[in-house]
Amino acid sequence: MTGTSAARTIPVQPLTEDAFAPFGWMLGRPFPKDPDPSAYTHPATDFWSQHLFRTGAQDGTEILWVNYRNSEPGVTHLEKHLFTEQAIVPLTGSVIQLMATSHADGSPDMAGAAAFLIAPGQGICMRPGAWHATRALRSPEVRCLMLTRASTTRDLVAHLAAGQPARESAIVEIPRCELVATS
Ligand SMILES: NC(=O)N[C@@H](O)C(=O)O
């Protein structure tokens, strides 16, 4: 991705736990060095905890398969989910995730916006209210696993497909910015 206009450019950086911390949690962190009751290793297998996912509801955790086909570097809209965390784990290729926190009024705080390259084997879990936009690193599409809240999915479909007011998400226009590869 290279910047193609005078719009503000946002460099795409590698995903690290510290850099993503303002927006949520990095997934794919290595096996813990210290003893951990949620970690197990054996010659045949390892498993270890990455995150305790919260939807903000008693139940309703949902797994989605999501295809991203937009690989354009320009971004003019951001989306947030008001109640639930949301995890994205790329399966068939890399995605670029633009993230922003919020001002006190809930609008995107673009001063701290950051873009992350998320490769297969990595993932992210966004906090509720984290503004985001996703781009496929390369066309035609990248398939991801998404963990979200079932009512948020239904609310978003009703909004996007039938124009119903969104109650669990918000989508806003932002001044155009361009995602720029750095390596
Ligand atoms: N399904 C769903 O919530 N999708 C959006 O959040 C998105 O960023 O892809």
Side-chain angles (χ1 to χ4, degrees):
M1 288 189 164
T2 55
T4 57
S5 71
R8 173 190 173 195
T9 59
I10 297 179
V12 178
Q13 59 182 286
L15 179 63
T16 67
E17 188 175 1
D18 291 346
F20 200 78
F23 313 106
W25 302 267
M26 172 189 177
L27 305 179
R29 301 185 309 280
F31 194 90
K33 294 186 175 63
D34 301 327
D36 183 324
S38 301
Y40 174 77
T41 185
H42 176 279
T45 183
D46 306 311
F47 54 84
W48 63 105
S49 177
Q50 291 292 312
H51 181 65
L52 298 177
F53 187 80
R54 289 173 291 266
T55 66
Q58 289 304 314
D59 56 17
T61 302
E62 181 177 47
I63 294 175
L64 295 182
W65 248 218
V66 183
N67 293 328
Y68 291 107
R69 286 187 279 275
N70 185 344
S71 58
E72 290 299 316
V75 179
T76 57
H77 289 78
L78 293 179
E79 175 179 304
K80 70 175 178 180
H81 306 299
L82 306 181
F83 307 126
T84 185
E85 297 176 351
Q86 190 169 74
I88 298 175
V89 180
L91 302 174
T92 61
S94 298
V95 296
I96 295 172
Q97 192 78 357
L98 174 60
M99 299 299 305
T101 55
S102 295
H103 290 297
D105 67 0
S107 62
D109 179 359
M110 294 308 293
F116 299 92
L117 178 65
I118 310 171
Q122 298 180 312
I124 57 169
C125 185
M126 300 178 283
R127 301 177 193 281
W131 291 101
H132 58 277
T134 310
R135 290 293 182 270
L137 181 62
R138 293 186 184 82
S139 56
E141 76 177 29
V142 173
R143 178 161 298 173
C144 298
L145 177 150
M146 177 178 278
L147 207 55
T148 187
R149 171 170 159 160
S151 60
T152 294
T153 301
R154 288 195 302 274
D155 180 70
L156 190 59
V157 170
H159 174 65
L160 296 174
Q164 300 295 320
R167 294 179 174 80
E168 299 196 19
S169 299
I171 301 172
V172 296
E173 190 166 8
I174 59 168
R176 178 184 173 85
C177 57
E178 296 268 326
L179 305 178
V180 181
T182 53
S183 59

